[in-house]
Amino acid sequence: MALHSEFPRDPYQNLAPGVRWIPAPEDMRESAYEKLLPPLVAKIREEVAAWRASGYAGASATSRALLQWWFETDHLIEQADGTQNPFHYYFAQREAVESVIWLYDVRGVRDKFDLLRFDASGAVSSGMFDEDWPRFVVKMATGSGKTKVLSLLIAWSFYHRTYEAESQLARNFLLIAPNIIVLDRLRTDFDGLRIFFNDPVLPDNGHAGRNWRDDFQLALHIQDDVRIVRPTGNLFLTNIHRVYLGDIPEPSLEDDDLRDYFLAPFGDKPAGKTTDSNTDLGELIREVDELAVFNDEAHHIHDPRLAWFGCIRDIHNRLLQKDLRLSLQIDVTATPRHNNGAIFVQTVSDYPLVEAIAQNVVKHPVLPDAASRAKLAEHKSPIITEKYADYLRLGVEEWRKSNAEHEKLGKKAILFVMVDDTRNCDEVGDYLQKICPELTDAVLVIHTKANGEISEASSSKSKDELERLRKESNEIDTWKSKHRAIVSVLMLKEGWDVRNVTVIVGLRAYSAKSNILPEQTLGRGLRRMYFGSEQRETVSVMGTPAFMEFVESIQNEGVTFDYAPMGGEPGGKREDSIIVEVDADAPDKDLDALDIALPRLSRRFNREYKDLGELDPTSFDNPKLEVEPYTAEETREIVFKTMLESEVDHTILLDGDGTGDWRSVVAFFARQLLKDLRLVGGYELLYPKVRAFLREGLFTRSVDLDDPVILRNLSRPEASKIIFDSFRAAINGLTIRDSGASRIEGHIRLRDVRPFRTEPRGCLAPKKSIFNKIVGETGADRLELAFASFLESAPDVQSFAKNYMAVGFRLDYVRADGELSTYTPDFFARTSDGAVWIVETKGREELDIPRKMVRLRQWCEDATIASAEDGGARYGFVYVDQESFEKHRPSSFSALVASFRDYQEA
């Protein structure tokens, strides 16, 4: 059941149906693929892939515009430090959204009978569906971004109903959480509608001719905090209890089991009537005329006899009485299974945990190897901490190692201990503090029964204590919280989405009646700690034999575990990653002497957008196209594709009189040029230039853009290529300006570089570098480590360093295709004469190497001139190719400079 050999490790890359994981050996893929997946997924996955390749053919204009904005447009997201980083949705998120939109918008699925058409198993019947409205279940592994899928589908429904004349979707939304903890997480994302504006959910005004941001009028109502409710444009965020009607027993602090109060589908006692309305939330929602329901952690709906499902059915029935119906139900969960293990038949998209782990979307679970487990034993004692002392000590030892690693990176690691009974929580919490001084006053113990410590005589005091615990459990990732460990039987099945859990210790087994799945247990530690990094992360999982047997049963779902030595010296040493940092603890290093300061120069190359007005299309030296004589039938549907990706952008359907709007075609080409050349602004200058070129410069004769035959000719791939190539060359020639000089704007000092982590690879512990380790890049580590060893031994090298991305030293240059880009050299070295050298090591020649070296030589000249006024260093560069270095390894840096002369001459 291993992953396909061609399964991509990049979570943003499209996943072809033929390489997806199946719960069977690979040789059964051809014969059993459709039978082994959730019954609807196989056919939907294949047809959605073909639909994606077609450019979303058949979708409404609104759906197509949104999909192209979300998944085919480059986005930059502003970070906390003011910089902007690229943003892309995971393919798993894309596929989930596409599947729902394709089913509803293209295939017209409105009920269970429509869904039955996609059954590949032959075993699904209409009796397996309990609802009479469109319901789609999205299965996504814990930590793979289900909330983002919810936000995209909410926006899609809103815009579809707003812009499509016959739309039956909704602009009112009921977003339901199963408990207070999940509600708190959703509140973090949706409060202030921040997820819609922080993520690129809302297209820019003008995209596809719509004012998306202006038209997105949505009011958020959380729980009973209901403001003025408009007929449309409402998002109700609530836990399920607020939606109940009738005599549902309220959870009480006097109950023997407080799990209902703290975790189950309830929460605080409803406030009843709101200040702005005479109707409570349950009644209010049932009075709304258009509504879509979104359920997070939706495995709670598995039984139609449960109140949750009954509430949704009641809402639908109320709408039927008004000759309306529930527009849509979207359920997202990692484990859409019934109590008997059967998957929900409404599942339309599946991103399993095995794929999420392989793509580093979540942490990799690591278990103790056989030798480490053999040293663990359960001792005969009625006291839990004596009985399971070996497991707790192993957990603490693993936590110490992970905490030491992550603390250097500004993060804290969390130890999570799952006990068998709430009565043992205090005992385990005290024991952890006894054997680990670092955990003194840093263990958060959660009780769930009234006879626990927090349930005191005063109910109000108990309630305050529970609220404090709820707050502290949600803040445990942050440095605001003093806690480093949590002990509980609570927060097990879902909702507690803490990211910094690095060690899980299980002191309990699970029976079938507990209805807990292994993925739900592992899920508490699967969420990644670091974002914007492809670095592999791990969570160590250990516990009693019964607990480990339960966890390892997930291997039936294709998940594979790493097994590693754990514990102190007896268990061996394990290194999940390498921390690179300034070697401040090395007693034999003089950091001042080893530090290298590099001037941060102003950009040499810049774009001047104002020069777009100087474009002269009549001067383009481009090939001319002959006008193809298309028939009237061939001009009825005209498809325009993006210039670089050849993805369908839009289609013009001509009506009976054969007229089309050429202005939209000119606008399409102008916007594509701005996007593909990464120009910010200048549309009003570029539009008339494109119009003139299409009329006078593209074809062998002047043309009339109102002519449908000409519009059809403009959609030809060769026309797009000529337009792009001609304008790119002319725009780059006009807008990229060499300032001719650079000035010093500051300095990069190696001793200021913050610690960072990298994958375990070959490395060197240098004496002449300010860093503790020199780690080679993937695929180039042999050359880089050999060169680092040379620098370490060269007698005339005083100090050197690898130019890691964390250093931030990169140069702007103009690529061979005329585009602006940046380039990162490999090494810095300072020789005994005080000169600073920038070194590029290369295993194979690249097209842009000559341009990079010209730019590097130019930088060294600029840096030397700019630094001379302050008596600064002299800067030089060396290009070192692998073949020559391995054949003729020099004995000193001066010999290297003398023998490696490529690109030195201007």
Side-chain angles (χ1 to χ4, degrees):
M1 293 193 296
L3 282 168
H4 193 281
S5 60
E6 297 180 10
F7 182 83
R9 265 45 182 183
D10 181 356
Y12 305 102
Q13 182 177 334
N14 287 5
L15 295 177
V19 301
R20 303 297 293 273
W21 177 80
I22 57 172
E26 190 60 35
D27 57 9
M28 294 182 63
R29 180 178 293 274
E30 293 297 326
S31 60
Y33 173 74
E34 294 184 342
K35 311 295 183 185
L36 295 171
L37 297 178
L40 306 182
V41 166
K43 285 187 176 181
I44 292 174
R45 182 181 283 169
E46 291 177 353
E47 295 202 39
V48 167
W51 178 60
R52 183 186 310 117
S54 76
Y56 302 123
S60 64
T62 300
S63 297
R64 189 165 55 249
L66 288 170
L67 291 167
Q68 288 167 348
W69 174 262
W70 293 331
F71 308 128
E72 296 178 357
T73 302
D74 293 331
H75 301 290
L76 292 174
I77 301 298
E78 186 170 350
Q79 307 301 303
D81 60 1
T83 60
Q84 290 189 321
N85 288 346
F87 175 92
H88 301 281
Y89 288 101
Y90 289 141
F91 175 77
Q93 296 165 332
R94 175 178 187 168
E95 184 181 53
V97 171
E98 290 173 335
S99 299
V100 171
I101 293 178
W102 178 78
L103 285 166
Y104 188 93
D105 203 32
V106 179
R107 298 304 299 269
V109 172
R110 297 295 183 270
D111 56 32
K112 57 188 175 185
F113 300 105
D114 292 332
L115 272 179
L116 282 171
R117 291 179 287 166
F118 305 102
D119 172 32
S121 69
V124 177
S125 65
S126 60
M128 298 177 180
F129 298 80
D130 299 301
E131 62 283 333
D132 298 317
W133 55 89
R135 177 188 174 196
F136 306 121
V137 177
V138 171
K139 179 177 178 285
M140 293 178 65
T142 296
S144 60
K146 295 185 288 292
T147 305
K148 292 189 184 296
V149 170
L150 291 173
S151 68
L152 294 175
L153 290 174
I154 287 172
W156 166 69
S157 176
F158 182 95
Y159 285 127
H160 195 279
R161 183 61 182 256
T162 301
Y163 295 145
E164 298 297 325
E166 303 300 322
S167 176
Q168 298 177 8
L169 288 173
R171 288 162 294 184
N172 295 316
F173 309 98
L174 176 60
L175 177 52
I176 305 177
N179 55 56
I180 292 296
I181 292 177
V182 177
L183 180 70
D184 285 343
R185 171 170 57 79
L186 290 173
R187 184 197 300 262
T188 300
D189 288 320
F190 283 92
D191 204 4
L193 302 177
R194 62 169 57 94
I195 193 171
F196 295 104
F197 294 96
N198 290 352
D199 290 352
V201 177
L202 310 182
D204 290 342
N205 286 341
H207 173 68
R210 299 285 190 185
N211 291 325
W212 304 88
R213 288 178 172 260
D214 293 347
D215 294 338
F216 190 73
Q217 300 296 320
L218 197 65
L220 177 66
H221 313 280
I222 301 179
Q223 296 282 69
D224 289 314
D225 182 18
V226 179
R227 294 172 286 169
I228 296 175
V229 177
R230 301 171 296 185
T232 61
N234 300 285
L235 172 56
F236 302 99
L237 172 58
T238 180
N239 65 323
I240 183 59
H241 184 67
R242 295 299 201 282
V243 190
Y244 290 155
L245 289 181
D247 297 327
I248 303 296
E250 295 286 349
S252 169
L253 286 167
E254 305 307 317
D255 295 342
D256 180 59
D257 190 340
L258 286 180
R259 281 175 296 181
D260 280 348
Y261 183 91
F262 196 81
L263 182 63
F266 294 101
D268 302 335
K269 182 177 179 180
K273 312 302 181 183
T274 69
T275 56
D276 293 334
S277 171
N278 292 323
T279 309
D280 66 28
L281 186 60
E283 285 286 358
L284 188 150
I285 289 170
R286 287 162 172 80
E287 296 302 319
V288 171
D289 286 344
E290 66 182 63
L291 186 68
V293 175
F294 292 77
N295 294 296
D296 196 7
E297 304 294 354
H299 46 275
H300 289 274
I301 316 176
H302 57 78
D303 191 338
R305 295 168 296 178
L306 292 180
W308 189 325
F309 183 86
C311 284
I312 299 173
R313 182 167 51 198
D314 183 60
I315 291 170
H316 176 66
N317 290 337
R318 291 283 190 98
L319 288 166
L320 289 177
Q321 293 172 10
K322 295 183 284 186
D323 200 24
L324 302 168
R325 71 198 307 258
L326 189 64
S327 297
L328 187 70
Q329 178 180 334
I330 301 292
D331 300 340
V332 295
T333 175
T335 53
R337 295 186 181 278
H338 296 278
N339 287 343
N340 61 5
I343 201 162
F344 293 178
V345 292
Q346 301 89 345
T347 303
V348 300
S349 178
D350 183 10
Y351 184 58
L353 182 59
V354 57
E355 294 183 348
I357 292 174
Q359 294 190 317
N360 286 329
V361 169
V362 298
K363 294 179 186 142
H364 291 245
V366 179
L367 277 57
D369 62 8
S372 300
R373 289 199 205 188
K375 297 178 174 66
L376 303 174
E378 293 185 16
H379 303 285
K380 291 184 178 180
S381 173
I383 301 174
I384 187 173
T385 53
E386 295 179 359
K387 183 177 182 180
Y388 298 128
D390 289 358
Y391 303 99
L392 289 169
R393 288 184 178 276
L394 178 61
V396 165
E397 185 61 33
E398 283 298 301
W399 172 81
R400 278 181 168 138
K401 288 193 289 188
S402 67
N403 190 58
E405 173 184 326
H406 293 293
E407 261 193 338
K408 294 179 179 179
L409 304 171
K411 300 270 190 179
K412 68 175 179 179
I414 302 299
L415 167 66
F416 183 32
V417 181
M418 303 175 182
V419 298
D420 59 343
D421 192 283
T422 54
R423 290 170 294 185
N424 291 320
C425 286
D426 283 333
E427 176 70 24
V428 172
D430 291 341
Y431 183 75
L432 291 176
Q433 297 180 70
K434 178 181 177 181
I435 65 172
C436 181
E438 302 98 302
L439 293 178
T440 302
D441 294 327
V443 178
L444 179 63
V445 177
I446 299 289
H447 290 283
T448 58
K449 294 195 175 183
N451 59 0
E453 229 179 327
I454 59 172
S455 182
E456 301 176 4
S458 169
S459 295
S460 61
K461 185 173 182 180
S462 299
K463 179 178 178 180
D464 290 343
E465 184 72 0
L466 276 175
E467 287 302 311
R468 182 186 65 81
L469 288 172
R470 169 181 156 191
K471 181 174 182 291
E472 289 180 349
S473 65
N474 286 332
E475 291 181 348
I476 198 169
D477 272 345
T478 70
W479 289 108
K480 292 190 298 183
S481 169
K482 65 181 180 180
H483 298 111
R484 304 292 187 95
I486 189 165
V487 180
S488 184
V489 295
L490 199 60
M491 303 180 199
L492 192 56
K493 293 182 72 172
E494 80 285 311
W496 189 56
D497 294 322
V498 175
R499 302 187 181 280
N500 290 15
V501 171
T502 60
V503 179
I504 296 175
V505 179
L507 304 181
R508 60 171 295 180
Y510 299 99
S511 61
K513 67 179 182 180
S514 68
N515 299 327
I516 295 174
L517 299 173
E519 183 169 343
Q520 293 170 332
T521 300
L522 287 175
R524 308 291 61 79
L526 287 177
R527 294 180 182 273
R528 286 181 62 91
M529 297 173 67
Y530 303 90
F531 291 92
S533 166
E534 304 300 322
Q535 175 67 41
R536 179 179 184 268
E537 297 183 28
T538 63
V539 55
S540 299
V541 183
M542 62 206 68
T544 63
F547 177 82
M548 298 305 291
E549 180 182 359
F550 169 76
V551 169
E552 289 178 304
S553 68
I554 200 174
Q555 292 177 111
N556 296 328
E557 299 290 329
V559 174
T560 58
F561 295 106
D562 294 336
Y563 291 88
M566 291 189 183
E569 288 301 319
K573 186 178 181 181
R574 179 169 59 90
E575 191 174 58
D576 288 332
S577 61
I578 295 177
I579 302 296
V580 179
E581 60 183 330
V582 173
D583 207 357
D585 296 332
D588 56 345
K589 285 189 177 183
D590 182 345
L591 299 187
D592 291 330
L594 294 176
D595 193 17
I596 298 175
L598 300 157
R600 183 182 286 110
L601 302 182
S602 59
R603 290 180 65 91
R604 180 84 184 230
F605 295 97
N606 296 282
R607 285 191 185 272
E608 296 289 344
Y609 304 113
K610 61 185 180 183
D611 293 336
L612 285 175
E614 299 176 15
L615 280 174
D616 180 11
T618 62
S619 67
F620 294 175
D621 186 23
N622 61 281
K624 309 284 186 179
L625 292 176
E626 293 288 346
V627 176
E628 293 287 343
Y630 292 106
T631 66
E633 185 63 30
E634 289 174 315
T635 63
R636 189 169 300 279
E637 180 177 284
I638 304 174
V639 179
F640 286 89
K641 296 185 178 181
T642 56
M643 297 181 189
L644 295 185
E645 300 89 352
S646 295
E647 301 283 352
V648 174
D649 180 87
H650 70 283
T651 301
I652 295 178
L653 299 175
L654 300 184
D655 53 24
D657 63 8
T659 60
D661 185 6
W662 58 266
R663 296 168 187 81
S664 67
V665 177
V666 176
F668 161 71
F669 284 121
R671 289 196 175 96
Q672 276 288 297
L673 285 164
L674 291 171
K675 171 193 169 186
D676 293 334
L677 294 175
R678 295 178 174 84
L679 295 174
V680 182
Y683 173 80
E684 71 285 352
L685 297 173
L686 193 57
Y687 180 93
K689 306 295 182 180
V690 174
R691 179 183 60 201
F693 182 73
L694 299 185
R695 282 175 171 165
E696 306 293 339
L698 180 59
F699 299 101
T700 55
R701 61 177 175 83
S702 298
V703 297
D704 179 6
L705 296 181
D706 281 319
D707 186 349
V709 173
I710 299 302
L711 292 182
R712 177 64 179 82
N713 271 271
L714 290 174
S715 70
R716 292 159 56 186
E718 56 268 39
S720 291
K721 187 176 188 312
I722 292 174
I723 294 168
F724 180 75
D725 289 347
S726 301
F727 273 91
R728 178 179 64 181
I731 288 172
N732 284 339
L734 278 175
T735 63
I736 296 180
R737 291 284 183 256
D738 183 349
S739 63
S742 295
R743 66 182 185 277
I744 296 178
E745 296 182 333
H747 285 83
I748 296 173
R749 297 188 181 277
L750 298 185
R751 69 180 308 157
D752 294 334
V753 175
R754 298 182 62 181
F756 61 93
R757 62 200 298 263
T758 185
E759 291 182 2
R761 289 195 295 269
C763 63
L764 174 72
K767 297 183 181 301
K768 290 184 179 180
S769 179
I770 198 169
F771 295 127
N772 64 329
K773 289 182 174 65
I774 302 297
V775 184
E777 295 296 324
T778 303
D781 52 343
R782 184 164 71 94
L783 172 60
E784 291 192 345
L785 291 180
F787 189 75
S789 178
F790 158 73
L791 294 174
E792 179 77 3
S793 61
D796 51 351
V797 171
Q798 184 186 73
S799 173
F800 77 95
K802 177 86 171 64
N803 182 23
Y804 297 109
M805 293 300 294
V807 173
F809 179 80
R810 59 184 65 90
L811 305 177
D812 58 315
Y813 79 105
V814 182
R815 297 191 322 221
D817 62 5
E819 291 297 304
L820 278 179
S821 188
T822 58
Y823 150 60
T824 304
D826 294 317
F827 285 92
F828 313 116
R830 185 174 61 237
T831 50
S832 52
D833 62 357
V836 175
W837 297 86
I838 316 298
V839 183
E840 174 68 18
T841 58
K842 191 61 62 179
R844 56 184 177 83
E845 190 79 5
E846 296 176 356
L847 176 64
D848 281 328
I849 279 293
R851 289 177 172 268
K852 291 178 179 179
M853 293 303 99
V854 168
R855 178 67 185 102
L856 182 54
R857 182 177 66 244
Q858 189 177 64
W859 183 91
C860 291
E861 293 171 356
D862 290 345
T864 299
I865 294 171
S867 301
E869 299 177 2
D870 301 324
R874 175 175 60 87
Y875 294 87
F877 79 99
V878 185
Y879 175 79
V880 179
D881 68 282
Q882 183 171 6
E883 182 179 1
S884 299
F885 181 75
E886 291 178 346
K887 285 183 178 179
H888 311 289
R889 179 165 172 162
S891 58
S892 65
F893 198 88
S894 59
L896 178 85
V897 172
S899 56
F900 286 78
R901 302 295 301 167
D902 288 351
Y903 306 110
Q904 293 294 327
E905 303 301 327

